Amino acid sequence: MQTKTRPRFLLYFPLLVATLGSPSTGRAQPAPTKVKKVTALPSQNAVFSDLGNHGVEAPAISNMVAQGIMKPVSVGIFNPDGVVTRGDFATMVQSLYKLGKPSETVSFSDIKSTDPLFSAIQAMAPFMNRQVMCKGCALTTNFSPNAALSREEASIILVRIMGAKNQLQPMTSQELSSFLQSTPDAKNWKPAAAPYFALAIKSGVMPLLGDNTFQPALKLTRADTAVLLDNINRQFIVPIKPPVLVQPK
Amino acid sequence: MRNHESCVEIRKVWNGFVKVARQNSRLPVSLTCAFALWLAAAGTIQAQTNLSDHGGPIMQTVDANLIFWLPPGSHYVSPPAGNAAADQLYETTITNFLNDLGQTGYWNILTQYPGQCSSTACTAPQNAPGAVKVGRVFQDLTPYPRSPLQDSDVQNEIQNFINQNGLSFGLSTEFFVFTGAAVQECNGLTGCTSTDFCAYHSEFDFNGGKVIYAFMPNDDSLPGCSAGISSGPNQLSADRETTILSHELAESVTDPLPFGTSLNIFDPLGNTAWWDSNNIFSSSFGQEIGDKCNQSPASVNLNGKAFVAQQQWSNDTSNCVASFGPSIEFDVSTGSDDLRGDSSSTAGLQSGASTFQTVTLKSQGMSPWGNNTTNEVVTGLRPPVLPTAQTPLTDIAVTLTSHNSFGETDDNWNIEHLTAKVLDPTGRLICELSLGGDPLVRLTGSMPTDTFVMPNCPNQSGPGGLTQIEFVIVTGSDDLRGDSSATATIKAPNGSVLQVITLKAQNQAGWNNNSTHDLIFALTPPQPLSQLQNILITLTSHDSFGETDDNWNIQSVNITASNPPGPAQCLINSGGNPLARLTNNAPTLTLSTPNCTPTPPPTAKFNQVEFNITTGGDDLRGDSSATAVLLVNGNPMLFTLKAQSDPSWDNNTNHDKIFSLNTLQPLSAFGNAVITLTSHNGFAESNDNWNIQSILVKLSDSGNNPTCFFNAAGNPFSRLTGSAPSVTLTPLSGCP
């Protein structure tokens, strides 16, 4: 079995922990080889020549490409270490959740109605909660589709969408207090963002990194995002067969 | 931009999480609430719920220190319009905007958001003259250290000025850093100006305290930051900047520590103040007072001056507003028996037997009011008018309602102190109730209501109920004819006519040239001072055959209102030569109250001029000289402020020079004054430069009746150099 070469993202462990129901021990452990792991479901074989160091993520990448949620950058090339832009992510979550347009058109100065991304951005816009990410800011009227997506943005958007889809329930005050108490990195989080991060971590949507930090400003790679969305797809959206558990060697 | 409002049901799923020490009467409840679907430039559809209090401090007043960071070659207006004059106008507009915020309907919005409370009183943003005032202004010409700037550069900039100038900081001081056009900044936690924000307010720890600050890039030059403003009353670039500035300032006041002290298990949102935390699955979660109305501009009149500001969120009406009030503010101190969490309480505002408004003091869903705590509730009066003599506020009925769960008995509540203040939209106190006891009253299930008499509301002996108005009008060199008439029309802030007074009837004798007329009338009905907003003096000619229309020169007008024997309240005190000339084409003089700046009577004459000059951070050398040339009746008169042989005027020193004129001259005889620096360089010596920090020029009659002629200050007000050795002073500029 290949081991993960980018230790900052523990792949499937948090989902397993969440599934097994142990929020107090839900912090990701730094030694993934000592725990049970979940392999991704067999998928259509999308073959990419640039996944050499991304064997762990490859099944998720294949799944996401096969389902049309993510697209190769060219034939045979996925660019797993490339960043995900806000515009990219809008198309992904629109496709993943089949999001429709909001009841009112959302106006962005830099996105015209003829823009290819217009529909996806419209669909994602109500879930962005940009103010949580930028507490104290007077926001611009731009969407900035080419800006790289951070873990914070992805977490908030996904938690919002999953809340709207009744896939997540908010934590009670006691649950949240307990979670923050048991998560040392929480003292570094912005107050308004804390409930989103807590819910994202607890549900396995966005796990802590290998050093038990959340690192909200860290940009997501395409490989990270494939794993992230594939996890959500399998756990919350598509009823699937139970994952195959593989015992560690 | 469109502004939608509708209602939806908001689930307050997170209510129990929030530590609510005191509440606004209109805090979100779990039922239907109004919210704005704000299809705004912010780019998100906002399901709007109210702001919640998270227990942290607010800013009661703001001492604003401004740092204009503008290296040579940078401007606030993009070329080709960008130049030094435009930069100065930009900075002046911002400075004036801040200084004029106090005691306005706009600033009154913030009084809805009180801060921390002791057992007997609460802090709250003040709305009084000087509630916001510009303290120190710095011009920094040093180059930007990098591009884009980082937030750490902004913090370093502030720290440098604090260290270099020994500035104080804390919860009554905010630092604003302004930068030039197209300057970008990135904040590692929140993004960049190029993609995310137009400005931000924040905090940092320094020398054991908190520094409150805002980064204010030039929003005129940033995409997505123009607030949709295409024209404004001052300078477009500055008007766009004041719009975003008002957003950040209001948020600083109502949530000065946006990142709190830190997360902790007792209060995970610790030490923040007012923001929307009602539902993490709502798009409005995380918003502060300005965010809910992001880039929605409004024209505002601040103490008689026109500006553009952003609308702010009003918890009272759950929408974006540009003013608030009249209002009523309750401070309720609970004694030794609390008001339970599942109980509610109200205050009924009564006019005689009729209750015209019921104010929710505490709703059932809010946290309990514990023993020996004080809670403040501010709400707008409905309808939004002050009590009048016809519909006075006579009584306040406080009611406790128990909402008992199974097996629970009725709640009992000891009120130890009750204060109710009725305030006009500019924060002026109209009338007040203040009662205490041990307890003042104990409300129970069997006696859930007690009624308190509101004394004199409107206050018949004070500003709430003025009964008399006095006009002193001086006619100038064109009389008011015997067959003409003149009226005074008094208008309320909403434009309605309160009363029309005949100053001179057609059948009364004419008002001759240079005559004074002192007239006293009853105000019917009595009016609070705040209602007397505009007074229009109108000339009407009643021409006989072949007679032309009358013209009338009004030299001065002095209007006061009172409730004898109470003191007179100045409404208008204006003069000129003439103040106004009323004709058939322009028969009306409109006077806005209050306008009581003393103006020297046109007959006053002066034979003495006094220059009071403070040198700034660059001295006037010992071998340099300085002069003032003052035009008197068009003739230049030269005064030597400092001769070459005089000692130097060192940095930060003040110099007072008094000169006599040969003859008494009226104010109108005095024209511009020009201050000039002359360098007398020694061998290899370069030209002198001189920073003038402030100049006050006064005219007097041998020291008597001193009158301001010119008044200005800056940092510096003016820098005189070899290439620009003079500064011109315009008569009466800067004088009150």
Side-chain angles (χ1 to χ4, degrees), chain B residues 75 143 175 212 234 237 285 291 306 460 533 537 654 695 720 733:
Chain B
H75 298 289
F175 293 84
I212 314 297
N234 301 295
S237 182
F285 185 94
D291 302 327
Q460 298 301 323
Q533 180 76 24
I537 296 179
N654 181 268
I695 300 182
L720 304 187
S733 175

Short mmCIF file of all heavy atoms in Angstrom, two decimals, chain B residues 75 143 175 212 234 237 285 291 306 460 533 537 654 695 720 733:
data_model
loop_
_atom_site.label_atom_id
_atom_site.label_comp_id
_atom_site.label_asym_id
_atom_site.label_seq_id
_atom_site.Cartn_x
_atom_site.Cartn_y
_atom_site.Cartn_z
N HIS B 75 -0.94 59.71 -4.98
CA HIS B 75 -2.10 60.58 -4.80
C HIS B 75 -3.31 59.74 -4.44
O HIS B 75 -3.30 58.52 -4.60
CB HIS B 75 -2.37 61.39 -6.07
CG HIS B 75 -1.26 62.32 -6.45
ND1 HIS B 75 -0.97 63.46 -5.74
CD2 HIS B 75 -0.34 62.24 -7.44
CE1 HIS B 75 0.08 64.07 -6.29
NE2 HIS B 75 0.48 63.34 -7.32
N PRO B 143 8.33 55.77 1.78
CA PRO B 143 7.85 54.83 0.76
C PRO B 143 7.19 53.62 1.40
O PRO B 143 7.50 53.24 2.54
CB PRO B 143 9.14 54.43 0.03
CG PRO B 143 10.15 55.45 0.38
CD PRO B 143 9.78 55.97 1.73
N PHE B 175 -6.88 54.12 15.36
CA PHE B 175 -5.92 54.59 14.37
C PHE B 175 -6.42 54.20 12.98
O PHE B 175 -6.81 53.05 12.77
CB PHE B 175 -4.54 53.98 14.62
CG PHE B 175 -3.90 54.46 15.90
CD1 PHE B 175 -4.22 53.87 17.11
CD2 PHE B 175 -3.02 55.52 15.90
CE1 PHE B 175 -3.66 54.31 18.30
CE2 PHE B 175 -2.45 55.98 17.08
CZ PHE B 175 -2.77 55.38 18.28
N ILE B 212 -6.75 49.57 18.64
CA ILE B 212 -7.86 49.45 17.69
C ILE B 212 -7.46 50.21 16.44
O ILE B 212 -7.04 51.37 16.52
CB ILE B 212 -9.16 50.06 18.27
CG1 ILE B 212 -9.39 49.59 19.71
CG2 ILE B 212 -10.34 49.75 17.38
CD1 ILE B 212 -9.59 48.14 19.88
N ASN B 234 -18.67 66.27 -2.16
CA ASN B 234 -17.34 66.81 -1.87
C ASN B 234 -16.40 66.48 -3.02
O ASN B 234 -16.40 67.15 -4.04
CB ASN B 234 -16.85 66.24 -0.54
CG ASN B 234 -17.80 66.59 0.60
OD1 ASN B 234 -17.94 67.75 0.94
ND2 ASN B 234 -18.46 65.60 1.16
N SER B 237 -13.60 60.84 -4.96
CA SER B 237 -12.71 59.87 -4.32
C SER B 237 -12.89 59.89 -2.81
O SER B 237 -12.95 58.84 -2.16
CB SER B 237 -11.25 60.20 -4.68
OG SER B 237 -10.38 59.27 -4.11
N PHE B 285 -24.63 34.98 8.99
CA PHE B 285 -23.82 34.63 10.17
C PHE B 285 -22.44 35.29 10.04
O PHE B 285 -21.80 35.20 9.01
CB PHE B 285 -23.67 33.12 10.28
CG PHE B 285 -22.96 32.68 11.53
CD1 PHE B 285 -23.66 32.33 12.67
CD2 PHE B 285 -21.57 32.62 11.57
CE1 PHE B 285 -23.01 31.93 13.83
CE2 PHE B 285 -20.91 32.22 12.73
CZ PHE B 285 -21.63 31.88 13.85
N ASP B 291 -21.58 45.28 7.81
CA ASP B 291 -21.62 44.22 6.80
C ASP B 291 -23.02 44.02 6.24
O ASP B 291 -23.20 43.67 5.08
CB ASP B 291 -21.14 42.91 7.40
CG ASP B 291 -19.73 43.02 7.95
OD1 ASP B 291 -18.94 43.78 7.37
OD2 ASP B 291 -19.44 42.35 8.96
N ALA B 306 -22.78 68.29 4.09
CA ALA B 306 -23.21 67.13 3.31
C ALA B 306 -22.05 66.15 3.11
O ALA B 306 -20.94 66.55 2.73
CB ALA B 306 -23.74 67.60 1.95
N GLN B 460 -42.07 70.77 30.26
CA GLN B 460 -42.63 72.11 30.05
C GLN B 460 -41.72 73.22 30.54
O GLN B 460 -41.93 74.38 30.23
CB GLN B 460 -43.99 72.22 30.77
CG GLN B 460 -45.03 71.26 30.25
CD GLN B 460 -45.32 71.44 28.77
OE1 GLN B 460 -45.34 72.55 28.27
NE2 GLN B 460 -45.53 70.35 28.06
N GLN B 533 -36.77 73.32 13.55
CA GLN B 533 -35.66 72.99 12.66
C GLN B 533 -35.32 74.12 11.69
O GLN B 533 -34.16 74.45 11.52
CB GLN B 533 -36.02 71.73 11.86
CG GLN B 533 -34.95 71.28 10.88
CD GLN B 533 -33.80 70.60 11.58
OE1 GLN B 533 -33.95 70.07 12.67
NE2 GLN B 533 -32.62 70.64 10.98
N ILE B 537 -38.03 83.51 6.95
CA ILE B 537 -38.51 84.89 7.02
C ILE B 537 -38.85 85.34 5.60
O ILE B 537 -38.00 85.29 4.71
CB ILE B 537 -37.45 85.80 7.66
CG1 ILE B 537 -37.22 85.35 9.11
CG2 ILE B 537 -37.88 87.26 7.59
CD1 ILE B 537 -36.17 86.14 9.84
N ASN B 654 5.25 78.71 20.51
CA ASN B 654 4.14 79.58 20.16
C ASN B 654 4.58 81.04 20.26
O ASN B 654 5.32 81.43 21.18
CB ASN B 654 2.96 79.34 21.12
CG ASN B 654 1.77 80.21 20.78
OD1 ASN B 654 1.63 81.30 21.32
ND2 ASN B 654 0.93 79.75 19.86
N ILE B 695 -2.27 78.89 12.99
CA ILE B 695 -2.32 80.36 12.96
C ILE B 695 -3.70 80.80 13.42
O ILE B 695 -4.72 80.31 12.91
CB ILE B 695 -2.08 80.93 11.54
CG1 ILE B 695 -0.70 80.52 11.01
CG2 ILE B 695 -2.19 82.46 11.57
CD1 ILE B 695 -0.40 81.10 9.64
N LEU B 720 6.49 76.34 4.75
CA LEU B 720 7.06 77.37 3.89
C LEU B 720 8.50 76.98 3.58
O LEU B 720 9.27 76.58 4.46
CB LEU B 720 6.99 78.73 4.58
CG LEU B 720 5.60 79.18 5.03
CD1 LEU B 720 5.64 80.63 5.54
CD2 LEU B 720 4.57 79.05 3.91
N SER B 733 -11.80 82.66 7.45
CA SER B 733 -11.67 81.23 7.24
C SER B 733 -11.37 80.53 8.56
O SER B 733 -10.47 80.93 9.31
CB SER B 733 -10.53 80.96 6.25
OG SER B 733 -10.32 79.58 6.12
#
